[in-house]
Amino acid sequence: MMEEVIMMSMISPSASNSTSPPGGGGGGGAKEQQAAGVGILLQIMMLVLSFVLGHLLRRHKFYFVPEASASLLIGLIVGGLANVSNTEASIRPWFNFHEEFFFLFLLPPIIFQSGFSLAPKPFFSNFGAIVTFAILGTFISSIVTGVLVYLGGVLLLMYKLPFVECLMFGALISATDPVTVLSIFQELGTDMNLYALVFGESVLNDAMAISLYRTMSSVRSQASSGQNFFLVILRFLETFVGSMSAGVGVGFTSALLFKYAGLDVDNLQNLECCLFVLFPYFSYMLAEGLGLSGIVSILFTGIVMKHYTFSNLSENSQRFVAAFFHLISSLAETFVFIYMGFDIAMEKHSWSHVGFIFFSILFIVIARAVNVFSCGYLVNMVRPANRQIPSNHQKALWYSGLRGAMAFALALQSVHDLPEGHGQTIFTATTAIVVLTVLLIGGSTGTMLGALHVVGDGHDDGPLGESFENSGYIAPYDEGASSGSKLKMKLKEFHKSTASFTALDKNYLTPFFTTQGGDSDSDDGGLPAAAPSSRRNGRGFRGLHG
């Protein structure tokens, strides 16, 4: 089925508009069908090779080439071979990286699985820090990158772009994709709180980057230099809050449906599973149809459906949907990197502005540092001394800022949104940044973790038993920072509001939206204790690769 979707979605206009030669009957169509078969066969072979190679790399603990890096390399190598051979013209239409295909087919299952696989306790215990890094930090990173790129152009250090286009570039290049880092985190065993920070920031960061890019793109399209900055911020907040509300609403609706529809019987399990699978896409398309962000919507749908809807399913359906979404997200994630590598090797790039690429890399490193360390300082200001984020964790978070498929897809979209030359320059720079960060940073992650002494804490032995009422680091640290009385008052208010939400969830939301109430402190941290089978099915805290 996936191959049929790929075939239908990736066909190019040039392929669909081709005609049969005069008097040739169906000869042209037969050749197209043969080329389609070869293209899809090649995709399947690369997927199989990626999974087998990834398994061998994990088995032999070879962390210098993570799975995502291996998939990207496979795509680059096969694309390069096709580019220099005479097969390029025939199979090229089946490997065009269409951003519509990426956003509509590949990204939704990845983002939903991200929200669905979140372990609430480490996520919500660090929720304040995650939101700070993902929203405020991404905003800071986008602005700093955009301003530095603009100043670099003014000082003739690099190719000059208009200021709004620099901000668009800053927004798209701020989308992090630490899949390789997270997979190595799992293999080596790192502190649960550090894993929660990196994972949570990457999930919310994608939605923030997309919202910022679309906001800047709309500002540019309106061509109003005197537009009120307040209206831009208001439009962004409207998109983000509206998308989150749509996702939460769809999640709660699904919980009520599965609670009262009586689908958890043997002869209705197929219907139960089908409906559960359809709700995430309904949330995504609803938000997109309303002009909101489908990524934000489906993310919060995943979080709500895991916490409430999942426990209303029958035991067999729980096993099926957990395995199904894990399978689909793994296929999509692997295919994205292969797809991206193949397209990078075969796409036309503008290498005439090497200075733009070099200084862009330098500027995003600086912007990432400003993002992480400034937000880390703010978070530590309002946290008690025993819950500070240590400096080595902040350095690991800074190092984990890889750029991946999201930045690549937005850059490809900028080719259509921006004038010729500008979009192509941004696309080439983004391509170089993605390849360098995935291969170099991803391959050196194990060494980095060892140097920063954050290896060996493990996930299973982490302090998962603590309630997520503690909105700071669960494990105590000796590093401290004094805060003013006003900040302490705000901290107490935040703790009080967090405790109030916890009580609201335990006493009202969980009994109302689930078939059984109970203690939400289950061992896996992912589900209410109302579903005994959920403890067996829960996979704990994991990254995008599951």
Side-chain angles (χ1 to χ4, degrees), residues 55-70:
H55 170 71
L56 293 176
L57 291 172
R58 286 197 310 271
R59 183 176 180 180
H60 295 284
K61 301 182 183 297
F62 190 79
Y63 302 122
F64 293 102
V65 184
E67 293 177 72
S69 302

Side-chain angles (χ1 to χ4, degrees), residues 431-515:
T431 297
I433 292 169
V434 167
V435 173
L436 287 175
T437 56
V438 170
L439 296 183
L440 296 182
I441 296 181
S444 59
T445 299
T447 305
M448 177 271 296
L449 294 177
L452 294 176
H453 306 291
V454 292
V455 177
D457 295 324
H459 292 283
D460 296 332
D461 298 331
L464 290 176
E466 295 288 333
S467 171
F468 59 78
E469 296 174 14
N470 301 320
S471 58
Y473 259 46
I474 305 174
Y477 293 101
D478 294 333
E479 298 182 16
S482 60
S483 57
S485 57
K486 293 183 178 180
L487 293 178
K488 289 184 178 180
M489 290 297 297
K490 292 180 179 179
L491 177 63
K492 291 180 180 179
E493 293 175 2
F494 181 77
H495 275 283
K496 186 180 298 184
S497 63
T498 305
S500 300
F501 175 77
T502 304
L504 174 68
D505 175 59
K506 183 177 181 180
N507 297 327
Y508 298 100
L509 295 181
T510 297
F512 182 75
F513 288 106
T514 61
T515 54

Side-chain angles (χ1 to χ4, degrees), residues 202-384:
S202 68
V203 171
L204 296 179
N205 165 273
D206 286 346
M208 179 71 179
I210 293 175
S211 300
L212 277 176
Y213 177 84
R214 291 180 177 177
T215 302
M216 297 303 174
S217 180
S218 65
V219 170
R220 179 189 172 279
S221 62
Q222 293 174 4
S224 176
S225 58
Q227 185 175 5
N228 194 336
F229 181 75
F230 175 75
L231 295 179
V232 176
I233 300 298
L234 187 63
R235 171 59 183 163
F236 167 75
L237 292 176
E238 176 188 348
T239 301
F240 194 87
V241 175
S243 304
M244 181 179 65
S245 302
V248 172
V250 171
F252 281 145
T253 302
S254 69
L256 291 175
L257 173 66
F258 285 97
K259 178 179 180 180
Y260 293 109
L263 300 175
D264 54 343
V265 293
D266 292 338
N267 60 339
L268 292 179
Q269 285 181 3
N270 287 338
L271 176 61
E272 188 180 33
C273 295
C274 288
L275 288 176
F276 193 94
V277 170
L278 288 175
F279 265 101
Y281 258 107
F282 175 78
S283 171
Y284 186 90
M285 296 305 173
L286 174 65
E288 291 292 326
L290 295 175
L292 303 173
S293 172
I295 300 301
V296 179
S297 179
I298 199 172
L299 169 66
F300 283 95
T301 298
I303 295 174
V304 173
M305 290 185 71
K306 180 62 178 287
H307 191 58
Y308 299 105
T309 311
F310 189 80
S311 61
N312 294 335
L313 300 178
S314 62
E315 187 172 342
N316 290 334
S317 297
Q318 287 182 356
R319 285 195 293 266
F320 172 79
V321 297
F324 175 80
F325 283 114
H326 176 54
L327 169 66
I328 294 299
S329 64
S330 297
L331 281 172
E333 187 73 53
T334 303
F335 186 74
V336 161
F337 280 95
I338 295 174
Y339 194 28
M340 185 168 58
F342 195 97
D343 195 78
I344 287 173
M346 302 181 70
E347 193 73 38
K348 293 181 180 179
H349 298 281
S350 175
W351 299 108
S352 57
H353 304 292
V354 180
F356 187 91
I357 299 173
F358 173 79
F359 283 104
S360 295
I361 295 174
L362 178 62
F363 292 156
I364 66 169
V365 171
I366 296 173
R368 178 69 180 173
V370 175
N371 164 9
V372 171
F373 296 116
S374 62
C375 290
Y377 177 76
L378 291 175
V379 170
N380 284 342
M381 283 182 64
V382 297
R383 283 188 169 187

Side-chain angles (χ1 to χ4, degrees), residues 126-193:
N126 294 283
F127 186 73
I130 289 173
V131 170
T132 302
F133 284 112
I135 297 182
L136 178 61
T138 304
F139 181 79
I140 292 174
S141 180
S142 301
I143 298 300
V144 171
T145 302
V147 170
L148 289 178
V149 169
Y150 180 75
L151 292 178
V154 171
L155 298 176
L156 304 179
L157 297 176
M158 55 197 298
Y159 185 69
K160 185 178 179 180
L161 295 174
F163 183 65
V164 176
E165 295 180 10
C166 292
L167 293 178
M168 291 175 64
F169 175 65
L172 70 88
I173 206 63
S174 296
T176 60
D177 189 12
V179 175
T180 56
V181 174
L182 291 172
S183 63
I184 296 177
F185 276 15
Q186 289 180 304
E187 294 290 333
L188 297 180
T190 59
D191 182 82
M192 178 66 82
N193 299 289

Side-chain angles (χ1 to χ4, degrees), residues 53-96:
L53 183 58
H55 170 71
L56 293 176
L57 291 172
R58 286 197 310 271
R59 183 176 180 180
H60 295 284
K61 301 182 183 297
F62 190 79
Y63 302 122
F64 293 102
V65 184
E67 293 177 72
S69 302
S71 301
L72 183 67
L73 282 174
I74 290 172
L76 285 170
I77 294 171
V78 176
L81 292 176
N83 204 19
V84 299
S85 66
N86 56 5
T87 61
E88 188 268 342
S90 60
I91 67 172
R92 183 67 177 97
W94 304 98
F95 281 92
N96 286 325

